[in-house]
Amino acid sequence: MALEVAGLIAGYGPVTVLRGVDFRAEPGRITCLMGRNGVGKSTFLKCLMGLVPATEGTIRLDGTALEGLPAHEVPRHGLAYVPQGRRLFGPLTVAENLAIGGLVQGNDRATLAHVLTLFPRLGERLSQVAQTLSGGEQQMLSIARALCLKPKVLLLDEPTEGLQPSMVSLIQDAIRTLTGQGVAVVLVEQRVDAVLRLADSVAFMVAGRVEETRDVKGLAADDPVFRNYVGV
Amino acid sequence: MAFGPFLLLALMEGLVTSATLALAAAGLSLVFGVMRVVNVAHGEFYMLGAVLAWAVAALVPGPPALAFLAALVVAPLLVGALAAAADGLILKRLNYDPEATIVATIGLLYMIQQATLSLYGPNANPVQAPFDWRIQLPWFGYSGYKLFVILAAGLVLLALWAFMTRTKAGLIMRATQVDRTTARAFGINVDRVYMGTFALGAGLAALAGVLIVPIQQAHYLMGGDPLLLSFIVVIIGGLGSLRGTLIAALVIGLSDGVISMFFTPTLAKILATLLVAMVLVFRPHGLFGAKA
Ligand SMILES: Nc1ncnc2c1ncn2[C@@H]1O[C@H](COP(=O)(O)OP(=O)(O)OP(=O)(O)O)[C@@H](O)[C@H]1O
Ligand SMILES: [Mg+2]
């Protein structure tokens, strides 16, 4: 179930943000996407989800063309999305948020039960209104909601932004378990240490293009690529 | 008649107003809540419900109760279908832009009104109530049909509440209301949700129109008052809040009944308008509305 993107061009109205992205994500592997603020990382994920239309280029999931599909068809092919800033359905309960996540697969009980073993704290709060959860719990819910879809490809946009270290490692552990189940994970992440700990490979984005892709094995925190592309 | 019974009568009349008003306002509130569309043509769906009830009553032979029952089902369905078409042909093409849809629904209002005038004519026509028994209270007799209106509206609103909170479709509508972009990312076809919501909102107004027509007669200009009152209710109750809509409909309907009976209907409207002004100044999101 490889996700293969070639020559993707997209933007907002007259503004072009993605200028020919080539990208690949493999099942069971975590591919990180790094780049400075505003290079188009979030736009790339939105474009994969069909939320920002691609004007050119192809998105293939195991050969099936996803580009040009209406946004609501994309998750039916197994793509799940954890947006930057969580975007929970705030006035809805935890259980209802999870039910929205499971819509396309018919909300089967086994999937929900499995997701709740990954995030037991959510199981204790099923009837709590999402916007009253703590920041960390909200982030767990955003990920859990996506997992209820039983995704083949999981897109995560800075899921540990602004969280305390214990919460960060809890979420990282959950992400790692997914790869064991054959999910292809695409992770937008700004922190070098997190990338080195989690990722199998890392793609560096500059001005709407993937400039370079590196295997994480053998990459050190002081490698010049990080300074070049991320500025740390 | 002594003061007590007189007040009771006023309250009962007020409850009838509350009942139909709550139905119409719930539709308006739902459409605004989910779609962010201020539907200025909402009163015309109410009027169409009444006019179609008259047409169905004229077409269906047999006892009036049967014809009325048919109207109760057919009119909201037809009006809902018309609304779904208006959604697809007009609102969707405007991308549901809040300002453009206000102008568009003003246009829709005149189109429906003029079409009704051409096809139905300028006359007001009565529709026979499905039954005409009266409840005899110690102080006065009261129309059994009016009590039926209160009961029917109550049941429909209860069903609406259960639909919104207990069914998958209701969940999808609430999620779309919160964040339509994220809803799409989870497989929700927002265009379909909007079409269904607009049809449901219009159907509720039409149902109110059917229920009122044995009391009020069907006329092509009858949509103005319910539109205004629905807006008042929705502003007081908080846009998009079903609970607030119900409470506000009760307040407006009951006070309208009491003030109209003891003073004048005009005073009732003036006070309702004043109440709206106060709410807008002191609680701009309504008494029960969430912050936008
Ligand atoms: N809805 C929008 N309309 C217009 N321009 C937008 C919109 N969203 C993003 N942009 C622009 O597109 C560019 C890329 O934004 P994007 O959010 O994809 O960046 P990013 O790489 O995710 O940045 P960050 O690291 O800050 O999250 C930016 O210049 C941004 O201003
Ligand atoms: Mg971003």
Side-chain angles (χ1 to χ4, degrees):
Chain A
M1 282 296 162
L3 177 76
E4 294 166 289
V5 179
L8 200 64
I9 296 182
Y12 304 93
V15 185
T16 305
V17 174
L18 304 181
R19 303 163 185 276
V21 179
D22 300 311
F23 181 84
R24 197 180 160 83
E26 306 277 347
R29 287 170 62 93
I30 299 178
T31 309
C32 275
L33 196 58
M34 293 188 97
R36 292 171 205 263
N37 293 124
V39 294
K41 304 179 298 293
S42 298
T43 304
F44 175 57
L45 296 197
K46 287 182 208 163
C47 191
L48 293 180
M49 292 305 298
L51 297 171
V52 170
T55 48
E56 264 178 65
T58 56
I59 306 167
R60 296 286 138 86
L61 181 59
D62 216 26
T64 309
L66 301 183
E67 74 276 1
L69 286 181
H72 66 267
E73 294 285 344
V74 174
R76 284 173 220 288
H77 289 85
L79 267 74
Y81 177 42
V82 179
Q84 190 166 18
R86 305 169 196 134
R87 310 261 317 232
L88 293 174
F89 300 106
L92 274 52
T93 64
V94 170
E96 288 173 334
N97 272 275
L98 295 174
I100 294 290
L103 273 180
V104 300
Q105 52 86 358
N107 267 314
D108 85 285
R109 280 166 180 280
T111 306
L112 179 63
H114 173 69
V115 170
L116 291 178
T117 57
L118 281 178
F119 300 109
R121 277 170 79 163
L122 294 178
E124 299 156 13
R125 292 174 166 74
L126 285 175
S127 54
Q128 191 172 332
V129 171
Q131 64 202 5
T132 64
L133 294 173
S134 77
E137 289 163 354
Q138 290 194 13
Q139 192 61 62
M140 288 186 207
L141 179 55
S142 184
I143 297 172
R145 176 179 65 178
L147 293 181
C148 282
L149 196 137
K150 258 203 273 188
K152 294 172 189 157
V153 180
L154 179 65
L155 312 176
L156 301 123
D157 199 344
E158 306 202 30
T160 56
E161 206 179 9
L163 298 185
Q164 67 185 50
S166 68
M167 192 62 77
V168 171
S169 60
L170 199 150
I171 284 174
Q172 288 176 344
D173 290 347
I175 294 172
R176 211 194 317 263
T177 354
L178 297 172
T179 56
Q181 297 154 16
V183 178
V185 176
V186 178
L187 174 65
V188 175
E189 179 58 72
Q190 295 289 52
R191 281 188 296 237
V192 175
D193 61 318
V195 170
L196 293 178
R197 200 167 336 120
L198 270 180
D200 294 294
S201 62
V202 50
F204 295 96
M205 222 174 156
V206 179
R209 265 198 206 90
V210 171
E211 279 287 323
E212 190 171 345
T213 304
R214 294 281 293 268
D215 257 355
V216 165
K217 210 183 289 171
L219 207 58
D222 55 2
D223 197 287
V225 283
F226 292 117
R227 200 168 346 103
N228 284 347
Y229 296 122
V230 198
V232 289
Chain B
M1 205 160 25
F3 177 76
F6 205 46
L7 182 65
L8 179 65
L9 179 64
L11 287 174
M12 287 167 80
E13 287 292 301
L15 262 184
V16 177
T17 307
S18 299
T20 53
L21 186 53
L23 282 180
L28 188 70
S29 168
L30 200 64
V31 166
F32 178 81
V34 176
M35 306 168 69
R36 304 275 129 180
V37 166
V38 175
N39 179 20
V40 183
H42 195 64
E44 304 318 301
F45 293 139
Y46 173 96
M47 176 274 284
L48 277 181
V51 167
L52 285 171
W54 171 84
V56 171
L59 288 174
V60 175
L66 186 70
F68 189 77
L69 208 64
L72 221 41
V73 175
V74 170
L77 284 180
L78 284 179
V79 172
L82 177 75
D87 171 79
L89 291 173
I90 303 169
L91 302 181
K92 186 180 167 190
R93 292 190 184 171
L94 297 172
N95 233 333
Y96 301 98
D97 174 74
E99 283 142 36
T101 50
I102 291 183
V103 179
T105 55
I106 292 174
L108 188 61
L109 181 158
Y110 287 112
M111 278 161 60
I112 295 177
Q113 224 171 55
Q114 291 309 310
T116 310
L117 176 61
S118 315
L119 295 169
Y120 169 80
N123 298 328
N125 290 301
V127 172
Q128 213 184 327
F131 48 82
D132 54 17
W133 42 269
R134 290 177 74 77
I135 308 275
Q136 195 53 53
L137 297 175
W139 317 278
F140 53 85
Y142 198 71
S143 153
Y145 177 71
K146 286 186 177 175
L147 293 180
F148 165 78
V149 169
I150 296 168
L151 187 73
L155 286 178
V156 170
L157 289 166
L158 199 67
L160 178 65
W161 175 81
F163 171 76
M164 291 302 289
T165 56
R166 298 273 186 276
T167 70
K168 187 170 122 184
L171 175 65
I172 287 173
M173 282 170 69
R174 285 183 292 134
T176 307
Q177 167 163 1
V178 178
D179 183 346
R180 65 166 146 166
T181 305
T182 307
R184 292 172 81 205
F186 286 96
I188 293 174
N189 184 341
V190 169
D191 286 343
R192 241 171 50 193
V193 173
Y194 279 12
M195 185 173 275
T197 302
F198 203 61
L200 179 61
L204 285 167
L207 190 66
V210 178
L211 286 173
I212 208 67
V213 76
I215 302 171
Q216 247 189 27
Q217 304 200 345
H219 185 259
Y220 83 105
L221 289 177
M222 72 191 288
D225 261 8
L227 177 70
L228 180 67
L229 284 173
S230 294
F231 269 119
I232 288 178
V233 161
V234 165
I235 290 169
I236 293 176
L239 280 162
S241 153
L242 189 57
R243 189 171 60 113
T245 300
L246 293 190
I247 294 171
L250 276 174
V251 169
I252 293 295
L254 289 176
S255 64
D256 185 81
V258 171
I259 297 167
S260 299
M261 194 156 299
F262 287 98
F263 303 97
T264 67
T266 314
L267 183 65
K269 298 277 182 304
I270 292 173
L271 288 179
T273 312
L274 263 178
L275 183 58
V276 169
M278 305 262 284
V279 167
L280 283 177
V281 171
F282 295 108
R283 297 276 315 235
H285 296 287
L287 297 180
F288 301 89
K291 297 233 154 42

